[in-house]
Structures are given as C-alpha cells and as structure tokens.
Amino acid sequence: MRSARDSIHAFDRIQSEGSSPAKSIIAAALKACGRVGDLQSGKRIHDYIVKNRRASPGFDGDDGIDADIASALVTMYAKCRSIDEAREVFDAMEDRSVVSWSAMILGYAENGEGDLALGLFQRMKQDSDDSIAPNRVTYLAALKACAATCENSREQALETARALHLEICQHGLESDLFVASTLVDLYWKCGSSVDARDLFGRMEERNVVSWSAMILGFAEAGDAKLALETFRRMPCAPNRVTYLAVIKACAALAVVDEGELVDGKVVKLKSLEIGRALHCQIRGSGFELHASIASSLVDMYCKCGSLGEAWSIFQRMKRSFRDVVSWSAMILGYAQGGEAEMALELFEKMEGDGCAPNPATFVAVLKACASQGFSGAGRRIHAKICTAGVEGQPGVATSLVDLYGKSGSMNRARQVFESMASIDLVTWNALLAGYSQQGEMKEVLEAFEALCRTSLAPDSVTYLTVLTACAHAGLVENGKEVFRAMTQRSITPGIEHYSCLVDLLGRANLLDEAVAVLRGMSGASPTPSLWMSVLGACHKWKNVDVGRAAYGSILELDPCNSAAYVLMANILQHASEWDLKNSPKLRL
C-alpha cells in the first residue's frame, strides 16, 4: 500500500517542481490509483494527461492519448469501480492493442458485468485484425467474466466455459498453470465437478492456486470430507486462499455433524477437533489474525458450537478488521447457541462501532429475537431494516415472517409476506409454521392450498408443518389427505411425519389404522417412540388388544423399556386384567 502511495506522490512531486512526469511515472501512478481505489487522484492525473499530452514526450498528440497510457486509464477507472468512465476512454481510443481490449474486458468482469465482458471479448475477435489476437491475459479476463455470469444461469455459463476451454487448447494455453487453475475454479463455479476434476487430473503441474480451487470446490459442493482429504494431500505450502477454503470445509462439516450435549449446549466435537488442529496450523503460518481468516475462524467455531473460542478470536482482531462478516458470524453464533440477549447486545455494539449491518446481520439478529419471542426488539430491528432498504431481501423477509409468526403477530407476518416481490418455499414454510403455532387451522389449510397452486412444490418441511397442525386440531381426514399427497409427490416420509400421523390417528381412536401405518412404513422402520405413541393412545382409549400388540413390538426393539411396562400395566389394571403372576408377556 505504501509503494502505491509513493508512486502517486512521485507524480505529484515532479509536477509540482514544474517538470513533465515521464510516461513510466504516469503509468505507475495510474496503476497505484487503481490498486488503492483512489478515484480522485486518478481523475486528477487524467486531467493532467488531457491538458499536457501534446507537450509531453512519448505521447501521440495528433491521435489522442498514447495507447499504453489509455490502457492504464481504462484499468484505473475499472479498478476504482467507475466502469462507465473506463468505457469512455476505451471508446475514444483509435488504435486499440490487445492490452487495452484485455483491460476493458477484465474491467467489466471485475465489476460483475460478465455478459458485457463476454460480448466485448467476442467483438474483439470479430473486429480486430490478425495482429491483435487474444492472449493469456485476455483469456484469463474472459474466464473471470464467465464466472461472473454463473449466478444468472449455471448451464449457460458452463457452455461458455467449455467453449473458452476449447479456444484455450487451440492457442496452446491449457498447459499454462495459471490459466488451467482458473479453469478448474470456473468449472466448480459452474457446478461441473466432473470437468473440474478431469482437468485437475490432467494437469502435469499443480500449484497452490489449483489445489486451493479444488479444496474450495469440494467445500462449496457440500463434500467437506473430500475437501479436507484434498487439503491433507496437498504437497505445496497453503496460502491465505487455501486456508479460507479449508476453514469453509470445516464449517460445512460442522453443519451436518450431529454434535453432543456439553454443559447443556450442542457442541460438534468431531468438527471442533479438526477445526482446532487447522487453527493451530494457521497460527503457525502467521495468518491467524488476517481479516478474512479471522472472520472465517469465528464463523467456524460458532458453527462448531464453541462460542468461547469464537469470541476469543473476535476480541483479538483489530477493530479495523472487524467487518460486517465477522460481526454477523458472531451474532448468529450466539443466536443459534441460545444466547439471544448476548446476540442483541452484540448487534448494538456493532452499530456503536460504526459497522453498518447487512442482510445477513439482520437475519442473524432476527433469529435471536424469534428464538426468545422478543417481539419488541424485533419490531425495532424491523424499523432499522426498512431504513436500510433491505426489507424485500428474501432472507430478511423470511426471517421477519418467522419472527412475527413465533411472537403471535400473524397480521404483521402476513403483511411482510404479501409485500414480497418474489416468494420462495422457505418463506411459505415460515408463514405456514406461524399459523400452525398460533392454532389458526383455517389459515394453515388456505395457505397450503394457495402454495399448491403456485409453481413451487411443497417439500418435506411443508408437509410436516401441515401434518402437525392437523394433529393438534384433530383434523383426521385432512391429515390423512396431506400424508397421501406427500407420498404421491414421491416425498419419502420421515420418522417425524409418521409420528404426526400416528399421533393424529391415536387421538381419534383409530388405533388399528395407526398400527397399519407403522407396519406399512417405507424407507424406515418403526422406532420404540412411535410404538409408545400407539401405546399411549391405547391407555387413553382403554384398548387392551392393540395395546398388547404395541407393547410386544416395543419389547422386540427395546427389551428393557420400563416406561412401556408401566404404561401396559396401567392399561391392564384399568381393564380389570391386572394379574402380574399370570401375565408372562409382562417382563422387564
């Protein structure tokens, strides 16, 4: 950063002395402006170039700004996020070199305008003569542009990536280590692990970039174990990007880790052990308190359930390094760890520290409010969300619906729901859950029917919510119909779905049907708890025959189930059949 500022100061010093800065000084100063994002100084240098181009040595005054300087201006404006001014300079150029074309293409790509970048890349190939052919830098810019289009359509991006790969092979650039590594990363972003792994396997030489691309690819594809295995096989020294990728993999592993109760908190012990070992290696490499690494470690420890270690890193971070990502990770960690008050307190500290919340922050703090029913705090945060203009963000809106549903303010939940421009299935599920929790059965069924009329397909969470509502309301026929609809949509019921249906049938004294459901289960086997639900219903309805069948099934699965013994004994006692000596089936 200091060397960049030195280049700008060198330009200013020479100019203030009344001399004309050399072309190399101007180019270096423009490059420095782009590196530090100093648009104001960049424009000042541009003004100097325009005013003095005819008097400055090395500039072609008759034909406009020198091509190399113009390319440096394009790069400077693009790096400073002023892409329109970059394009103005580019369009004013009469003679464009491969450097200027590549600079403009990369400028669009780095500013998220992937389609414009690729369009310009095609125009370069069509409009330029044979002397200006795409080179290594051009293709790297085009690959970056392709990656920027992945969010719009992965399929289209993959098609473009394969076409670019073919051209790269035709130009003999596939053997270029950095080009090949960038391609590997692009294939992962396009969702094609097959292409990524195939190219990685063919690479004669691999560097830290290619290895890091594979680790990150596996992590983001949900294969955390393979990401960690690839990291262990990596023969070269990891860099910051590698560590970010493997921390992400460890955090992903923690999400699926069942965890264990430690002092009343769920801790992902297996993932935590891996994370600690990784942290130790990172500490030894000197990357521990780098801003992005520290933020990622905070997130990982939070997901592992070790809030103490997450907080320790967060506290040791420089205040200037505590960005919205690290604050949000810490707030979410406390919210998920059941410490809602601490999450809210941290949110206030974040604002007091001058760090503006983003949508992820609001989602985290709304989760804290919803977990404890802090409706007052939730409404205050809703006001902040409206001020920030992110109320329409899908994740934020869904969290608001969830918050108001859990706090009993279904009118507010419905208002947020109906104000959304685009409603996804997660939001529908949040609305259904809110109505279900408030016992508003009519609204549950109406909302469910409305969902079924959309292009969205209900998932297992949707069906579980509606089944639970039907069970609590005693709506037997509705519940049975919902269960049938789920199986007709080829959604395999889980234990929790069977539990709802059995509970519903048991409450309605349809005990034979409940037994038939359990004996006809597909994709899973009845658990002792499911049979206990039937046995409990038999106690309520004094049904000895079905009770004996349920009791026998429980003993087959859990011969030492004392709770089942007590319940069956009570059933027999109430049925005037209590004779412990003559009841050989009753045993501990």
Side-chain angles (χ1 to χ4, degrees), residues 280-302:
C280 184
Q281 184 175 344
I282 292 170
R283 188 184 295 117
S285 69
F287 283 113
E288 181 188 22
L289 295 182
H290 187 284
S292 56
I293 293 288
S295 292
S296 297
L297 283 169
V298 167
D299 178 64
M300 179 198 74
Y301 276 123
C302 285

Side-chain angles (χ1 to χ4, degrees), residues 432-454:
L432 285 165
Y435 281 131
S436 176
Q437 287 169 4
Q438 302 310 316
E440 298 182 25
M441 198 59 221
K442 178 185 175 185
E443 286 75 12
V444 170
L445 294 176
E446 287 179 352
F448 179 64
E449 290 173 2
L451 167 60
C452 292
R453 289 194 295 270
T454 70

Side-chain angles (χ1 to χ4, degrees), residues 75-223:
T75 300
M76 181 275 295
Y77 279 123
K79 295 285 186 185
C80 291
R81 304 292 180 187
S82 186
I83 196 68
D84 290 338
E85 289 178 281
R87 186 60 188 259
E88 285 179 15
V89 175
F90 179 80
D91 287 341
M93 296 176 68
E94 295 188 14
D95 294 317
R96 302 187 186 102
S97 65
V98 65
V99 175
S100 54
W101 280 101
S102 301
M104 194 66 237
I105 293 166
L106 183 61
Y108 276 130
E110 290 182 334
N111 283 274
E113 299 285 356
D115 290 327
L116 288 176
L118 291 172
L120 196 63
F121 175 69
Q122 293 301 323
R123 182 181 148 193
M124 172 190 177
K125 293 189 292 182
Q126 294 167 2
D127 295 356
S128 302
D129 56 36
D130 293 338
S131 64
I132 306 179
N135 63 9
R136 172 182 181 272
V137 176
T138 320
Y139 278 113
L140 285 170
L143 291 173
K144 189 160 193 170
C146 185
T149 67
C150 287
E151 290 186 6
N152 299 328
S153 171
R154 272 189 162 192
E155 291 182 3
Q156 181 61 47
L158 180 57
E159 185 179 334
T160 304
R162 286 171 174 163
L164 286 170
H165 190 176
L166 181 61
E167 286 186 38
I168 286 167
C169 290
Q170 291 169 346
H171 283 77
L173 291 171
E174 190 190 39
S175 59
D176 183 290
L177 186 55
F178 199 70
V179 171
S181 298
T182 306
L183 262 171
V184 168
D185 181 61
L186 174 58
Y187 278 133
W188 277 115
K189 285 183 169 66
C190 293
S192 179
S193 62
V194 174
D195 285 298
R197 296 174 77 166
D198 178 62
L199 177 57
F200 184 79
R202 293 202 316 271
M203 291 173 68
E204 294 182 2
E205 183 184 358
R206 304 182 185 110
N207 63 2
V208 66
V209 177
S210 48
W211 280 98
S212 299
M214 288 300 291
I215 295 166
L216 183 61
F218 283 127
E220 293 187 334
D223 201 336

Side-chain angles (χ1 to χ4, degrees), residues 503-564:
D503 179 52
L504 176 62
L505 295 172
R507 292 186 187 205
N509 197 15
L510 298 173
L511 301 176
D512 289 329
E513 284 190 47
V515 171
V517 165
L518 294 186
R519 288 180 174 166
M521 284 177 64
S522 59
S525 300
T527 62
S529 62
L530 286 174
W531 283 113
M532 280 294 289
S533 178
V534 174
L535 192 60
C538 291
H539 179 265
K540 175 183 177 181
W541 299 108
K542 300 179 177 58
N543 191 318
V544 177
D545 292 337
V546 176
R548 282 181 171 144
Y551 177 71
S553 297
I554 293 169
L555 292 186
E556 288 178 8
L557 299 170
D558 183 8
C560 298
N561 194 317
S562 57

Side-chain angles (χ1 to χ4, degrees), residues 244-501:
L244 284 171
V246 76
I247 293 170
K248 188 181 185 76
C250 189
L253 192 65
V255 172
V256 298
D257 189 350
E258 291 185 4
E260 298 177 28
L261 277 176
V262 178
D263 296 328
K265 305 287 184 182
V266 176
V267 181
K268 313 298 181 70
L269 293 176
K270 293 180 181 177
S271 304
L272 183 58
E273 182 181 356
I274 296 171
R276 283 171 174 164
L278 175 61
H279 185 185
C280 184
Q281 184 175 344
I282 292 170
R283 188 184 295 117
S285 69
F287 283 113
E288 181 188 22
L289 295 182
H290 187 284
S292 56
I293 293 288
S295 292
S296 297
L297 283 169
V298 167
D299 178 64
M300 179 198 74
Y301 276 123
C302 285
K303 286 184 168 64
C304 288
S306 182
L307 295 178
E309 287 172 285
W311 180 245
S312 174
I313 295 172
F314 185 80
Q315 283 187 308
R316 287 188 289 119
M317 290 173 68
K318 291 181 180 179
R319 289 187 67 177
S320 59
F321 284 177
R322 293 178 188 173
D323 59 4
V324 66
V325 176
S326 53
W327 279 103
S328 300
M330 204 68 243
I331 293 167
L332 182 61
Y334 281 117
Q336 292 178 330
E339 299 188 35
E341 292 183 359
M342 186 62 187
L344 289 169
E345 183 181 328
L346 206 58
F347 177 72
E348 291 176 3
K349 285 183 179 178
M350 172 185 176
E351 290 188 306
D353 212 37
C355 184
N358 68 5
T361 320
F362 287 122
V363 168
V365 74
L366 285 172
K367 185 180 184 70
C369 294
S371 67
Q372 297 296 322
F374 295 156
S375 57
R379 284 193 293 271
R380 290 194 295 274
I381 291 165
H382 189 175
K384 294 177 185 289
I385 288 169
C386 293
T387 301
V390 296
E391 187 178 14
Q393 291 276 344
V396 175
T398 299
S399 297
L400 283 167
V401 172
D402 180 59
L403 166 73
Y404 287 129
K406 286 178 177 175
S407 60
S409 303
M410 286 311 300
N411 287 336
R412 285 179 177 268
R414 190 78 199 198
Q415 286 172 4
V416 174
F417 181 85
E418 292 178 347
S419 70
M420 295 176 66
S422 177
I423 303 172
D424 61 15
L425 185 58
V426 178
T427 314
W428 275 102
N429 286 344
L431 183 72
L432 285 165
Y435 281 131
S436 176
Q437 287 169 4
Q438 302 310 316
E440 298 182 25
M441 198 59 221
K442 178 185 175 185
E443 286 75 12
V444 170
L445 294 176
E446 287 179 352
F448 179 64
E449 290 173 2
L451 167 60
C452 292
R453 289 194 295 270
T454 70
S455 59
L456 299 170
D459 62 5
S460 60
V461 175
T462 315
Y463 285 111
L464 180 59
T465 301
V466 180
L467 275 171
T468 302
C470 289
H472 289 164
L475 299 179
V476 179
E477 292 306 318
N478 294 93
K480 289 162 71 173
E481 178 57 35
V482 168
F483 192 87
R484 278 194 297 269
M486 179 173 63
T487 55
Q488 287 169 359
R489 284 181 177 266
S490 299
I491 298 176
T492 303
I495 295 296
E496 61 276 12
H497 298 94
Y498 282 109
S499 180
C500 279
L501 182 60

